[in-house]
């Protein structure tokens, strides 16, 4: 018997069927060991020794593999065909070797690009050894990411409270988003006018021509800058005669794009389907691992983490046959199309993403797929098919027209195109938005018959005013495209990098556009001022290129680490004496448009609006940065650092605005602002109830009615018709929701909280239950393991939403703001845990090994004066 190790249980089951009873296929469930999230996992002073740790779940899987090997003849490592897959095979082999589980058994490595019977059996016939350079590249990348994260993040915690973390690729991606935001802030809009003429041929057919010259001067987009100039040209054209000087029809060919790579698939799925990167990869993973089709599990696409654009020769032949059968012989080009990648630092020589069988058209398999799977498979099948189809044949017509009046002349041009043969467009057209250049979606309309030297009749002259617009914010797709162009990150890292930025709350996504949060902009401003080299695009791309050279066997991985660490470690040491005042001065200047937004009355935005004499500046508190007055404590003005520029916040200052009386309690309702932003309050003192103003609401529009609606959240909607239990709506930590019997379901907008009826609420709850429990936010990252508590159970330092804290069981003790997480000792942690337990009345009891997760209870909270938090139930 032979033992085969793959990554996922779904693949294990399918592959075991292909191989038969002589094989036992087991899943590693991804990586079996990792670097512990604590100091000392990578030791530069010991030649970059790395200390790996196997978690409990992986221990069980490795034990299963060890048991299976006892009666086996060989071990076959069949993990994914990329660097991560190679690393998993290496880890498994290392652990089994140390366990002495292999003895004299034969060990081999096989890779397959698709989970089909033929691909798997072919791979088994062509075993090889583990690719050592590819593993070395993994080790170098893992060590670099660890060294940057565990050395740079503590600097942020000390100098920039509220910052979560920094990362080698993550921070550079965040810089791209922040740089774009700065471009938008600096942008000055300019006026321009476009002039066109609606004309008719002698046969009465209409078309539009745009102005290209005026009195011998070439007209471009910004040539006509005001209404007076535009009016003069329009008046001249109103009385002019028009003649078609020349008509030129030129045939052109348009070629198809190559099959998808990881990044182009993510871009197209975003533009055409509205999928984010993570969703795209999750669906693609399922299509790759296999779908049950008529009782047989078959992988429908090839491996989805790749930057290769070529297809295997047999796949090209199959595609050409499918094209001839489905579209006709004319759609099959004389020669097969071959592609080469244009991505900077492209590596991992895999095939492009394609169907495993071109005969399986989307319509043929749609009954086996869910909606998302069908959409993505349809996209992949069409793009791969189109890549081997004939060029589209297009006739582009250009008509140059002369307008003349009283010795003055103007030139106009009309363009149009006609598709004479659709070619590959019959299968696939690219989307313009966020993706690559559009194919077959030309804006030029088809022109009527126009003959040279014939007179044209004027129908209407159009002069339209426009203003230049700032560059758009990045979408996930356009950011991935930019990262690929710069050589930052790799196919397997794009989705996780974007997810990290969202999870760290450094960016938000609205209307599919990435907007940097103030917290994210602070981090980047700090890094650009004090660690600029490590967020430079060129430096990061150069490091990626060195990692690729390691995987090609051209560089020694530890030499690359030594070169990086020497300079980086010195830079970290140089920041130890950096004063917080110097940091704040630098950030005040770097983020001036954010910290000191322009005021409507043109007054100095750096002067305190409350006392009129103090200077505003960034201040650092326990939960991050805010704007405060230099006259503190005599002046207590504070304002949340907001990307919305908040004149309303400034106007509110710290003086409450009276909104009326609560008719039920007779308490005053006021609108206020604090360091966490604007909020409404009922009553005074510690017992006052507060509720934050939802993001996107205009503070100036908050009246008594809106304030009462917020104060009275959560709102009872009605009893569930089946359980009889109340359904309520509220705004929680993760946004608007409905709640029934411990089940939370997201709502699309804040407004839904106040308008949703019982029927819709029941439907939303039912849909959530049908989907099953979500992932939630997951366990916060462990920054340092301190060992076991005397009463049992591990003590760790973790990175939470509001900063680092010590965790033991159900007890969480926030670290003092001047305490560096990496410096916490076991003794200090035990004191903090005891103090926290005593303050909360909890008994310091060892946590159960498998404690059930407690159900969240909806409750109305009364916020402390320092925190203007929404007084609603917390969401799972």
């Amino acid at each position: 018997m032979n033992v085969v190790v793959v990554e996922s249980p779904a693949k294990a089951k399918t592959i075991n069927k292909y191989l038969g009873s002589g094989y036992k296929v087991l899943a590693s469930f991804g990586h079996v060991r990792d670097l512990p999230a604590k100091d000392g996992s990578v030791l530069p002073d010991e030649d970059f020794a790395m200390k790996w740790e196997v978690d409990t779940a992986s221990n069980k899987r490795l034990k299963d593999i060890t048991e299976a090997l006892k009666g086996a003849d060989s071990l076959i490592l069949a993990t994914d065909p990329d660097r991560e897959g190679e690393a998993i095979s290496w880890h498994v082999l290392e652990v089994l070797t140390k366990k002495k589980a292999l003895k004299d058994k034969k060990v081999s490595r096989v890779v397959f690009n698709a989970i089909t019977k033929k691909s798997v059996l072919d791979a088994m016939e062509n075993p090889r050894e583990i690719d050592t350079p590819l593993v070395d590249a993994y080790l170098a990348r893992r060590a670099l990411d660890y060294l940057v994260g565990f050395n740079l993040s503590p600097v942020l915690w000390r100098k920039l409270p509220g910052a979560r973390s920094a990362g080698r690729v993550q921070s550079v991606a965040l810089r791209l988003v922040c740089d774009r935001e700065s471009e938008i802030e600096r942008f000055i809009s300019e006026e321009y006018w476009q002039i066109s003429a609606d004309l008719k041929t002698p046969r009465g057919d209409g078309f539009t021509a745009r102005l290209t010259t005026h009195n011998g001067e070439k007209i471009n987009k910004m040539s006509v800058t005001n209404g007076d100039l535009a009016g003069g040209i329009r008046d001249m054209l109103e009385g002019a005669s028009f003649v078609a000087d020349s008509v030129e029809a030129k045939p052109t060919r348009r070629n198809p794009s190559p099959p998808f790579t990881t990044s182009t698939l993510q871009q197209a799925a975003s533009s055409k389907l509205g999928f984010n990167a993570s969703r795209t990869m999750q669906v693609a993973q399922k299509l790759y691992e296999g779908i049950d089709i008529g009782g047989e599990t078959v992988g429908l696409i090839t491996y989805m983490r790749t930057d290769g654009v070529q297809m295997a020769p047999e796949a090209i032949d199959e595609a050409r046959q499918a094209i001839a059968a489905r579209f006709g012989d004319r759609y099959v080009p004389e020669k097969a199309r071959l592609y080469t990648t244009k991505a900077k630092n492209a590596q991992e020589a895999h095939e492009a993403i394609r169907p495993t069988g071109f005969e399986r058209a989307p319509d043929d398999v749609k009954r086996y797929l869910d909606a998302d799977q069908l959409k993505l498979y349809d996209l992949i099948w069409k793009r791969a098919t189109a890549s081997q189809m004939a060029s589209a044949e297009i006739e582009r017509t250009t008509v140059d027209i002369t307008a003349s009046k009283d010795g003055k002349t103007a030139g106009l041009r009309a363009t149009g195109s006609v598709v004479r043969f659709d070619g590959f467009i019959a299968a696939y057209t690219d989307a313009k938005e966020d993706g690559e250049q559009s194919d077959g979606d030309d804006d030029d309309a088809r022109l009527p018959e126009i003959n040279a030297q014939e007179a044209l009749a004027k129908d209407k002259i159009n002069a339209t005013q426009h203003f230049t617009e700032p560059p758009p914010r990045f979408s996930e797709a356009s950011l991935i495209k930019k990262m690929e162009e710069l050589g930052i990150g790799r196919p397997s890292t794009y989705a996780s990098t974007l997810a990290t930025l969202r999870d760290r709350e450094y960016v938000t996504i609205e209307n599919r556009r990435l907007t940097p949060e103030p917290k994210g902009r602070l981090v980047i401003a700090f890094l650009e001022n004090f660690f600029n080299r490590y967020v430079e695009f060129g430096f990061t791309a150069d490091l990626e290129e060195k990692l690729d050279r390691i995987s090609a066997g051209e560089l020694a991985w530890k030499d690359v680490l030594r070169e990086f660490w020497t300079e980086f470690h010195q830079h970290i040491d140089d920041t130890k004496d950096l004063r917080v005042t110097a940091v704040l001065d630098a950030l005040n200047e770097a983020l001036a448009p954010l910290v000191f937004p322009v005021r409507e009355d043109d007054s100095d935005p750096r002067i305190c609006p409350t006392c009129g004499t103090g200077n505003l500046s960034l201040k650092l508190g326990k939960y991050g940065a805010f704007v405060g007055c230099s006259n503190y404590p005599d002046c207590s003005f504070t304002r949340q650092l907001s990307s919305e520029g908040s004149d309303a916040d400034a106007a509110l200052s710290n003086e409450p605005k009276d909104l009326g009386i609560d008719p039920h309690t007779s308490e005053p309702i006021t609108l206020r602002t604090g360091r966490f932003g604007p909020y409404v309050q009922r009553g005074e003192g510690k017992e006052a109830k507060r509720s934050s103003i939802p993001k996107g609401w205009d503070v100036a529009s908050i009246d008594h009615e809106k304030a009462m609606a917020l104060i009275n959240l959560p709102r009872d909607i009605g009893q569930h018709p089946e359980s009889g239990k109340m359904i309520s709506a509220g705004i929680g930590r993760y946004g608007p929701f409905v709640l029934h019997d411990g089940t939370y379901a997201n709502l699309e907008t804040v407004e839904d909280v106040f308008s949703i009826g019982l029927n819709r609420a029941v439907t939303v709850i039912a849909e959530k239950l049908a989907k099953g429990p979500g992932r939630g936010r997951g366990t916060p990252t462990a920054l340092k393991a301190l060992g076991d508590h005397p009463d049992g159970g591990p003590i760790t330092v973790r990175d939470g939403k509001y900063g680092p804290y010590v965790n033991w069981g159900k007890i969480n003790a926030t670290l003092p703001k001047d305490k560096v997480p990496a410096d916490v000792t076991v003794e200090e942690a035990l004191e903090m845990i005891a103090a926290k337990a005593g303050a909360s009345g909890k008994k310091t009891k060892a946590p159960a090994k498998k404690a059930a997760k407690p159900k969240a209870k909806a409750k109305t909270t009364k916020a402390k004066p320092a925190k203007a938090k929404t007084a609603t139930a917390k969401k799972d």
Side-chain angles (χ1 to χ4, degrees):
M1 186 190 70
N2 303 291
V3 173
V4 181
V5 177
V6 296
E7 290 179 56
S8 78
K11 286 165 60 176
K13 186 176 180 181
T14 302
I15 292 169
N16 223 145
K17 287 182 182 178
Y18 294 157
L19 296 178
S21 58
Y23 294 82
K24 184 169 185 178
V25 185
L26 299 172
S28 71
F29 289 78
H31 277 284
V32 296
R33 61 180 188 174
D34 199 0
L35 295 172
K38 61 182 181 181
D39 281 339
S41 295
V42 178
L43 301 171
D45 294 337
E46 297 181 21
D47 199 27
F48 298 97
M50 302 171 77
K51 296 183 177 180
W52 303 100
E53 182 177 81
V54 179
D55 62 32
T56 304
S58 295
N59 255 324
K60 182 181 182 305
R61 289 156 196 154
L62 287 167
K63 184 179 179 181
D64 292 342
I65 296 171
T66 302
E67 287 296 317
L69 280 170
K70 288 181 179 179
D73 300 316
S74 69
L75 170 67
I76 301 171
L77 301 166
T79 48
D80 285 343
D82 59 0
R83 181 179 50 243
E84 290 299 311
E86 205 72 22
I88 291 170
S89 285
W90 175 79
H91 278 300
V92 170
L93 184 58
E94 286 280 298
V95 173
L96 294 177
T97 301
K98 289 181 179 178
K99 287 176 171 284
K100 298 182 179 179
L102 297 172
K103 298 180 181 178
D104 56 351
K105 300 182 192 303
K106 180 182 177 182
V107 178
S108 59
R109 169 86 168 110
V110 301
V111 293
F112 34 82
N113 195 41
I115 301 176
T116 62
K117 189 170 185 177
K118 183 179 184 304
S119 296
V120 172
L121 294 180
D122 286 349
M124 292 296 172
E125 295 296 321
N126 295 280
R128 60 168 173 83
E129 294 183 353
I130 284 181
D131 187 334
T132 301
L134 205 55
V135 174
D136 288 346
Y138 159 80
L139 294 173
R141 183 180 295 272
R142 193 69 190 86
L144 282 170
D145 291 343
Y146 174 90
L147 292 171
V148 171
F150 273 81
N151 286 277
L152 194 50
S153 294
V155 174
L156 287 177
W157 297 333
R158 286 193 297 266
K159 309 299 181 183
L160 203 63
R164 302 290 295 277
S165 68
R168 187 177 60 83
V169 175
Q170 158 200 326
S171 297
V172 182
L174 178 58
R175 181 187 169 184
L176 282 169
V177 178
C178 293
D179 283 357
R180 178 59 57 87
E181 197 70 17
S182 296
E183 282 184 69
I184 294 170
E185 289 173 344
R186 293 193 302 267
F187 182 81
I188 299 174
S189 184
E190 296 181 52
E191 179 184 4
Y192 69 97
W193 289 71
Q194 290 184 335
I195 299 172
S196 64
D198 293 342
L199 305 174
K200 285 186 177 180
T201 69
R203 292 157 294 282
D205 298 320
F207 65 97
T208 300
R210 59 181 177 82
L211 184 71
T212 56
T213 64
H214 182 249
N215 286 337
E217 293 184 8
K218 186 177 180 180
I219 300 296
N220 58 36
K221 178 180 176 180
M222 301 303 298
S223 295
V224 184
T225 57
N226 58 67
D228 292 340
L229 183 56
I233 297 173
R234 181 183 58 199
D235 292 343
M236 176 263 170
L237 293 175
E238 287 284 3
S241 59
F242 297 84
V243 176
D245 276 345
S246 64
V247 179
E248 181 183 18
K250 183 184 295 184
T252 62
R253 286 176 174 265
R254 183 171 294 156
N255 296 322
S257 298
F260 284 127
T261 63
T262 301
S263 65
T264 55
L265 175 63
Q266 290 170 346
Q267 292 164 40
S270 173
S271 301
K272 286 176 170 281
L273 308 179
F275 290 6
N276 63 28
S278 296
R279 182 178 175 189
T280 299
M281 297 311 289
Q282 287 165 4
V283 177
Q285 180 85 33
K286 181 61 179 174
L287 292 174
Y288 165 69
E289 291 188 345
I291 301 294
D292 187 347
I293 297 179
E296 181 182 1
T297 302
V298 179
L300 292 184
I301 64 170
T302 54
Y303 192 55
M304 64 286 165
R305 293 186 182 91
T306 175
D307 52 20
V309 292
Q310 68 280 2
M311 294 198 301
E314 60 271 19
I316 292 176
D317 292 342
E318 188 181 323
R320 288 167 64 85
Q321 292 171 16
I323 292 165
R326 183 169 289 268
F327 297 97
D329 291 338
R330 191 184 174 190
Y331 288 83
V332 183
E334 183 179 344
K335 295 181 179 179
R337 295 185 182 277
L338 301 178
Y339 296 94
T340 56
T341 185
K342 296 179 181 179
K344 186 176 181 180
N345 295 343
Q347 43 91 50
E348 299 180 3
H350 304 140
E351 276 193 85
I353 304 169
R354 63 166 176 85
T356 56
F358 282 89
E359 76 281 0
R360 284 190 287 268
D363 286 344
D364 299 331
V365 297
K366 66 180 181 181
R367 65 183 181 275
Y368 304 111
L369 306 177
D370 65 28
D372 283 0
Q373 291 167 357
L374 178 60
K375 289 176 183 177
L376 196 65
Y377 182 70
D378 181 74
L379 202 64
I380 293 168
W381 187 91
K382 287 179 176 177
R383 171 81 167 232
T385 300
S387 73
Q388 288 300 320
M389 291 176 71
S391 301
E393 297 173 9
I394 299 169
E395 184 178 88
R396 183 177 294 276
T397 302
T398 302
V399 181
D400 285 323
I401 301 162
T402 297
S404 56
K405 175 188 177 184
D406 300 334
K408 295 180 179 180
T409 62
L412 299 96
R413 175 170 290 175
T415 57
S417 61
V418 178
V419 177
R420 297 299 183 189
F421 172 62
D422 55 1
F424 75 91
I425 296 173
Y428 181 85
T429 56
D430 285 334
K432 285 184 176 181
E433 181 192 3
D434 295 336
E436 301 158 299
Q437 180 64 37
S438 173
D439 286 320
D441 189 23
D442 204 311
D443 288 334
D444 295 339
R446 181 170 183 166
L447 291 175
E449 179 187 348
I450 305 172
N451 299 314
Q453 302 307 313
E454 69 180 3
L456 303 169
K458 179 205 69 167
D459 187 20
K460 182 182 179 183
I461 304 300
N462 308 297
T464 54
Q465 184 187 37
H466 302 271
F467 293 90
T468 56
E469 296 183 354
R473 292 186 174 103
F474 283 110
S475 65
E476 283 199 359
S478 58
L479 181 61
I480 288 170
K481 185 177 183 181
K482 187 65 175 179
M483 290 172 67
E484 185 179 39
E485 289 173 355
L486 293 171
I488 299 167
R490 285 296 176 263
S492 60
T493 65
Y494 296 134
S496 60
T497 297
L498 292 173
T500 298
L501 295 182
R502 290 194 304 270
D503 293 344
R504 293 281 182 263
E505 297 178 341
Y506 286 161
V507 301
T508 55
I509 300 179
E510 295 180 12
N511 298 321
R512 294 171 54 199
R513 295 288 169 177
L514 297 168
T515 302
E517 287 288 281
K519 183 189 299 183
R521 299 190 70 182
L522 281 169
V523 168
I524 289 303
F526 175 83
L527 294 176
E528 285 186 308
N529 275 275
F530 303 105
F531 288 89
N532 184 53
R533 176 172 173 77
Y534 302 100
V535 288
E536 286 178 350
F537 305 133
F539 175 81
T540 305
D542 180 62
L543 201 51
E544 291 285 356
E545 186 174 3
K546 289 178 179 177
L547 291 169
D548 292 343
R549 291 182 64 192
I550 293 171
S551 65
E554 298 172 2
L555 288 178
W557 69 282
K558 289 187 178 180
D559 289 347
V560 173
L561 289 180
R562 288 187 197 96
E563 180 184 356
F564 172 84
W565 177 250
T566 300
E567 185 176 348
F568 181 70
H569 186 252
Q570 182 60 51
H571 212 117
I572 294 289
D573 286 344
D574 291 344
T575 63
K576 289 181 177 178
D577 296 329
L578 183 63
R579 299 178 63 84
V580 172
T581 52
V583 172
L584 292 178
D585 288 343
L587 297 184
N588 279 331
E589 294 307 314
L591 298 174
L594 177 68
V595 182
F596 312 111
V598 175
R599 294 174 180 168
E600 291 182 0
D601 60 3
D602 291 329
S603 61
D604 188 346
R606 299 193 181 220
I607 297 299
C608 177
T610 298
C611 67
T613 59
N615 292 313
L616 297 183
S617 172
L618 275 174
K619 306 287 184 183
L620 296 179
K622 183 177 182 180
Y623 300 112
F626 62 96
V627 179
C629 179
S630 60
N631 286 339
Y632 178 85
D634 295 331
C635 176
S636 59
F637 172 84
T638 58
R639 173 166 51 80
Q640 184 185 31
L641 189 61
S642 170
S643 56
E644 297 176 359
S646 202
D647 266 334
D649 284 6
L652 277 172
S653 178
N654 288 82
E655 296 300 321
K657 177 182 177 182
D658 185 19
L659 297 177
I661 300 295
D662 185 328
H664 303 291
T665 67
S666 298
E667 293 175 296
I669 304 294
T670 52
L671 175 63
R672 306 175 182 230
T673 189
R675 67 174 58 180
F676 300 104
Y679 61 98
V680 291
Q681 176 175 308
R682 180 178 65 196
E684 298 290 345
K686 293 183 178 180
E687 299 302 314
K689 183 178 179 182
R690 299 174 176 84
S691 184
S692 296
I693 305 300
K695 189 171 184 178
W697 280 26
D698 180 11
V699 178
S701 71
I702 300 298
D703 54 18
H704 181 267
E705 181 181 357
K706 289 182 178 179
M708 286 296 299
L710 288 170
I711 286 290
N712 288 322
L713 290 179
R715 176 178 77 90
D716 287 342
I717 299 172
Q719 292 180 333
H720 195 287
E722 295 178 2
S723 69
K725 295 182 179 180
M726 182 60 66
I727 301 176
S728 60
I731 305 172
R733 178 174 172 183
Y734 306 122
F737 65 88
V738 289
L739 168 65
H740 168 252
D741 195 22
T743 297
Y744 290 83
N746 293 329
L747 295 175
E748 292 184 1
T749 68
V750 170
E751 284 68 26
D752 289 341
V753 172
F754 307 101
S755 62
I756 190 169
L758 182 59
N759 290 340
R760 176 60 182 154
V762 170
T763 301
V764 172
I765 291 289
E767 290 173 349
K768 175 62 185 290
L769 290 171
K771 290 180 180 178
R775 285 187 170 189
R777 291 183 63 87
T779 304
T781 305
L783 303 175
K784 184 177 183 180
L786 299 175
D788 287 342
H789 193 281
D791 292 335
I795 304 174
T796 56
V797 180
R798 295 186 176 274
D799 182 15
K801 178 178 175 65
Y802 301 110
Y805 63 94
V806 170
N807 167 261
W808 176 64
K810 297 180 181 179
I811 297 178
N812 298 321
T814 302
L815 294 187
K817 61 183 179 180
D818 58 347
K819 189 66 180 176
V820 179
D823 296 340
V824 177
T825 65
V826 175
E827 291 74 17
E828 291 171 330
L830 289 171
E831 290 179 7
M832 285 187 273
I833 289 168
K836 180 69 175 180
S840 61
K842 292 182 180 179
K843 294 182 179 180
T844 54
K845 187 172 77 172
K849 290 184 179 179
K850 292 185 179 179
K853 184 178 179 181
K855 291 185 178 179
K857 295 182 180 180
K859 63 179 181 179
T860 301
T861 60
K862 294 187 177 180
K864 296 179 181 179
K867 300 181 184 178
K869 292 258 179 184
T870 303
T872 57
K874 288 186 178 180
K875 183 181 174 185
D876 280 343

